[in-house]
Amino acid sequence: AAGVIQSPRHLIKEKRETATLKCYPIPRHDTVYWYQQGPGQDPQFLISFYEKMQSDKGSIPDRFSAQQFSDYHSELNMSSLELGDSALYFCASSWTGGANTEAFFGQGTRLTVV
Amino acid sequence: AQSVTQLDSQVPVFEEAPVELRCNYSSSVSVYLFWYVQYPNQGLQLLLKYLSGSTLVKGINGFEAEFNKSQTSFHLRKPSVHISDTAEYFCAVSGAGAGGTSYGKLTFGQGTILTVHP
């Protein structure tokens, strides 16, 4: 079965650079969620999109922005990168049309800022 | 707002022994409850979930959990663990009744590292 695809899997950037993370949800899923998991930390909710509109916002820094496109894939844009942005970034997707739906997580993108 | 506390950061256990990973939550609204497993350098895989109905829920890989509303707990159990169960386990909650998008907006606990020894 198709899963949530994230690219790239690994990314190394220097301080003050920008990074773009991509997420391709499971086909027919209409909602995408972004999470940040720092080293030894639990995942923290950043932002979510439903039908291409922002549906909820968590602890996302102002330097980050995200959007969901017409094909439902999503991109997380991160500017002025800081060392503390080094983390595993997860994308998850779900379909709101079902009665007992759940969020399916991708493998994550490991961002290292040097 | 919700919060989740996993009472044990690490749980070592021998193979074929039973295990319980403890999770307590706090919320001012009704919640959905989840347990996820994360293997090293991998994504999060759903083990089981409680949305409504029977308070004892069964998941994959022989795991089960019981929702106790009065004690605000959702402890994860397995009667006999295997080496392959070694991983980090996260308890998570989301607010119920907030619409379909609530399933994926999760507040996670700090995680419990389960290590199964031969």
Side-chain angles (χ1 to χ4, degrees), chain A residues 31-36 44-50 53-61 64-68 74-77 89-93, chain B residues 101 104-106:
Chain A
T31 306
V32 169
Y33 313 83
W34 285 98
Y35 285 82
Q36 177 192 58
Q44 295 288 319
F45 172 75
L46 293 178
I47 196 167
S48 62
F49 292 87
Y50 167 67
M53 299 288 289
Q54 181 181 306
S55 55
D56 220 327
K57 193 172 181 180
S59 51
I60 183 169
F64 295 6
S65 65
Q67 58 181 322
Q68 185 179 31
S74 179
E75 295 183 4
L76 178 65
N77 298 293
Y89 290 84
F90 286 110
C91 172
S93 73
Chain B
T101 59
K105 186 193 173 188
L106 302 164

Side-chain angles (χ1 to χ4, degrees), chain B residues 44-86:
Chain B
L44 294 158
Q45 181 182 10
L46 182 69
L47 279 177
L48 48 78
K49 60 186 176 185
Y50 172 80
L51 304 181
S52 64
S54 173
T55 57
L56 182 64
V57 292
K58 295 187 182 297
I60 63 171
N61 301 339
F63 285 94
E64 63 180 34
E66 185 155 20
F67 170 55
N68 188 318
K69 188 175 182 179
S70 63
Q71 297 187 7
T72 59
S73 67
F74 191 55
H75 300 333
L76 181 71
R77 302 186 184 100
K78 186 170 183 178
S80 176
V81 295
H82 300 288
I83 297 286
S84 59
D85 292 324
T86 295

Side-chain angles (χ1 to χ4, degrees), chain A residues 2 5 8 22 32 39-40 42 50 58 63 72 80 87 91 93 100 110:
Chain A
I5 306 297
K22 297 184 178 182
V32 169
D42 56 287
Y50 167 67
R63 298 177 290 107
Y72 293 95
S80 303
C91 172
S93 73
N100 290 314
R110 183 169 296 282

